[in-house]
Structure formats: structure tokens, C-alpha cells
Amino acid sequence: MDAAHCYLEGNADAVEFCTHEPYTNLLAASTYTLQEGDLPSRSGSVYLFDVGDAEDVGLNLLQKIDTAGVFDIRWSRGGDGGGSVALAQADADGCLRVYKIDETQEKGNSLREVSGEKISSAMCLCLDWNPSSTSTVVGLSDGSASVVSFTGSNLETVQEWKGHDFELWTASFDLNNPSLVYTGSDDCKFSCWDIRDCPANNRVFQNSKVHTMGVCCISPSPSDPYSIFTGSYDETLRVWDTRSVSRPVNETSLSLGGGVWRIKHHPSLSGVVLAACMHNGFAVAKVSDGKGEVMETYNKHESLAYGADWNRGKDQKRSVVATCSFYDRLLRLWMPETAFEL
């Protein structure tokens, strides 16, 4: 069921609901727009919306921040108040930026940049926070990855290594062992690295045979410490069993009919995911007992499906999701019909 929609001023590529009470009503969205020509430029924006509550869902724009073209945004995992809640941004200028929530009685919630660091001459394509939100891993357009510590308002690169031959579209920390980082790239390789020492010399595994096209999403399961979901341009969602950490097993594969750019786990239902499927809209899927099934599809966007996320409000009787698409610059809020019937 559709709840609200709006058009952004740039090509929409990411949406992220805040994961922390009392800010689960906050939705961040980002854009990336390439201006071609003799001197091409990559511009973008970060938007902050208030989506209301379960009784009154909408898109109330609180703030728009103009910046370089944004490839990815992520709210921090840890924290229990505005001072600890952070939003990180990976952008086309090779910068990692971090915003904190400011809350004033007159203006309500807004984002304030507290740190920004140029970490590479390459573009920053993706990012993820470690479980304690004290570090991020950033994937770069030259195939490298960087681990950047965040303490107070200081960003410092503590590891950088060349892990892949082409663009590194996805990087993720293991949720139970923050010493492990997973990466995926246009070179079709799904890799894992131990970052306690030089990661280039501590590759835990690299699988180059299963994904037939580039790996663009890696999403560890929050409910199963040995389960990792991957998405690829080959239009397949895969689930990996990592109990043998040096030799993961692809135990489930599900065709979604479009490149699987983003996978987001339902906040309370194990095995239920929301997927952005590029040319084939969005899908709610369920994986259990080694089998995968598409429960619902959503095709009300007219362009590449890139951004997707679940709202994490505690008092909702139904799931609310946000999705966005690229060239039509469309942001939508909607409620899946099936999620709470699974």
C-alpha cells in the first residue's frame, strides 16, 4: 500500500532509516548527478525527512545538504542518543563525511557535519560501520578498501589495501567478529579479510566462481551469525553458510529478475529481506531451510531501483519501507502486503 512519495532534485541512489530510538522516524536519502562535458562534475545532496508514525506516515522534509555526488549513506549501529547517532557519507570526491543529529525546540531535528576527510584520490563507492560504530570500511573505485576509525569527531585511515581488480561496490563488517571485513567487486569476486594486521596478507577467502557478474551487495544476517546474503548484477540473491570461514558454501540462490543492488534484512523477521533489483523494481523475499521465495514485488518506480530500507519503529502494526530510483529521482514510502503474514 502506497503511503507517500516525492521527487528529489538529483538522481536518487540511497535511502536509510535511522536505527536508533527516539529517531526511527528520521529517513535520510542521497543523490548523485553526473554533469558531463569538458570538465565533468559529480554533485549530490543528502536529504533528511520526518516520516511520522504508523498512524500518519508521510514525507516531511527537514533538511537538504548540498555536497559532492553521494554513492552511499549509513546510520551508525551503536548509540542511544542524538550525541551518539551518526550518519556517514561516501562520495565521489573520495571523501568520507560524518554527520550528527542536532535537536532544537525551534527547528526540530537536523544534521550537522562533524567530520570530513579525503581518504583517497579514487571515488568512495560504499561504506559500512563496525558493530560498535567506532570504525567504517569504505570501498573505492580503484578496487581498494579502507578502514577508517572514528573517535570523537576525528577520522583516521588505519588500514588500506588493494583487494580487487575493479570497482569495489560493497564492503561489510562481520556483525559478530569485527576483525573480518567482506568485499565484493565488478571483478565477480566475493572476499573476506582479517583486518587485525595487513589485510592484503590476511585474506580469509576469495570466491571467484559463483557470481557470474559483479558483486554489488553483501549483507550479513543479523539473526544468524553464519549466514551472509550477497547480490550481484547476475540477478541472483545468494545466501552463504560461513561456518567454515575459509570456505563458505552457497546454500541458497534466488533469481530476482534484475541486478540485486541492495539487500536489507527485516528488523524483526528472520530470513525476510527487501531487495532493490535495478531494472526489475523491488522485491520482498523470504529465505528459510535452504529455500528462497519471492513474496511480493513492487514496480511503481520508472527507473533503476537502487535504494531500499525498512523502518524500525517499534509500535508499527505493519512494516513501512522506503525505496528510491535513479533517473526519475523518485522516493516512495509504502507498506508491503505480505511481510507480517510470513
Side-chain angles (χ1 to χ4, degrees):
M1 182 177 76
D2 293 321
H5 74 275
C6 71
Y7 291 92
L8 306 182
E9 294 180 19
N11 299 335
D13 59 4
V15 290
E16 294 281 318
F17 278 106
C18 187
T19 57
H20 310 283
E21 297 286 355
Y23 304 106
T24 55
N25 60 306
L26 296 182
L27 171 69
S30 65
T31 66
Y32 167 92
T33 303
L34 173 63
Q35 301 289 342
E36 299 188 58
D38 294 336
L39 294 172
S41 64
R42 297 172 172 87
S43 61
S45 299
V46 174
Y47 293 77
L48 186 68
F49 293 92
D50 182 348
V51 302
D53 55 33
E55 302 302 320
D56 185 22
V57 177
L59 285 167
N60 175 32
L61 178 61
L62 300 175
Q63 186 182 14
K64 173 177 175 279
I65 301 170
D66 292 324
T67 181
V70 181
F71 283 101
D72 201 7
I73 49 175
R74 293 292 172 99
W75 292 99
S76 57
R77 300 183 191 274
D80 55 2
S84 302
V85 180
L87 179 73
Q89 161 192 319
D91 69 37
D93 283 353
C95 292
L96 176 66
R97 301 185 186 279
V98 179
Y99 305 90
K100 291 287 187 74
I101 293 175
D102 270 349
E103 186 174 5
T104 63
Q105 190 170 3
E106 298 82 15
K107 297 183 179 180
N109 295 314
S110 62
L111 295 173
R112 172 177 53 90
E113 184 176 330
V114 296
S115 190
E117 192 74 29
K118 186 174 178 66
I119 63 171
S120 177
S121 58
M123 294 185 290
C124 296
L125 302 181
C126 62
L127 68 95
D128 188 39
W129 291 92
N130 69 347
S132 60
S133 295
T134 54
S135 295
T136 63
V137 58
V138 181
L140 304 173
S141 59
D142 65 0
S144 299
S146 291
V147 175
V148 183
S149 67
F150 178 62
T151 53
S153 59
N154 297 316
L155 291 168
E156 181 182 359
T157 300
V158 293
Q159 296 280 10
E160 183 171 352
W161 71 100
K162 176 81 169 178
H164 292 271
D165 300 323
F166 303 113
E167 288 87 347
L168 201 159
W169 288 118
T170 180
S172 180
F173 279 97
D174 188 280
L175 296 181
N176 299 282
N177 182 353
S179 297
L180 299 181
V181 164
Y182 303 98
T183 58
S185 165
D186 259 356
D187 60 12
C188 306
K189 295 174 182 176
F190 168 40
S191 305
C192 179
W193 315 85
D194 188 329
I195 63 169
R196 285 174 291 188
D197 201 359
C198 178
N201 300 325
N202 284 281
R203 191 174 70 197
V204 179
F205 71 76
Q206 184 170 86
N207 185 295
S208 58
K209 297 181 179 179
V210 172
H211 300 93
T212 61
M213 298 179 74
V215 182
C216 39
C217 180
I218 298 172
S219 185
S221 168
S223 59
D224 183 345
Y226 302 112
S227 182
I228 295 177
F229 289 57
T230 61
S232 169
Y233 291 123
D234 66 14
E235 304 185 352
T236 303
L237 181 151
R238 293 178 173 87
V239 184
W240 300 78
D241 183 334
T242 61
R243 280 176 290 188
S244 176
V245 68
S246 62
R247 192 180 292 271
V249 176
N250 176 207
E251 62 175 13
T252 307
S253 297
L254 178 64
S255 177
L256 295 182
V260 185
W261 182 258
R262 193 80 77 182
I263 300 168
K264 290 299 183 70
H265 294 270
H266 191 282
S268 60
L269 297 175
S270 178
V272 176
V273 296
L274 173 67
C277 306
M278 297 184 73
H279 292 284
N280 199 37
F282 298 87
V284 177
K286 181 174 175 63
V287 176
S288 63
D289 300 324
K291 297 179 181 179
E293 180 183 3
V294 175
M295 307 301 295
E296 182 175 348
T297 58
Y298 185 81
N299 292 293
K300 296 188 177 181
H301 290 258
E302 300 295 328
S303 180
L304 290 170
Y306 273 157
D309 200 14
W310 303 92
N311 181 263
R312 291 163 178 79
K314 292 181 178 179
D315 299 326
Q316 293 178 346
K317 297 177 181 178
R318 299 183 61 185
S319 293
V320 175
V321 303
T323 51
C324 72
S325 44
F326 196 64
Y327 292 112
D328 60 356
R329 304 181 172 188
L330 179 59
L331 169 63
R332 285 188 176 272
L333 293 181
W334 51 282
M335 301 175 186
E337 301 292 337
T338 56
F340 275 91
E341 300 170 5
L342 300 175

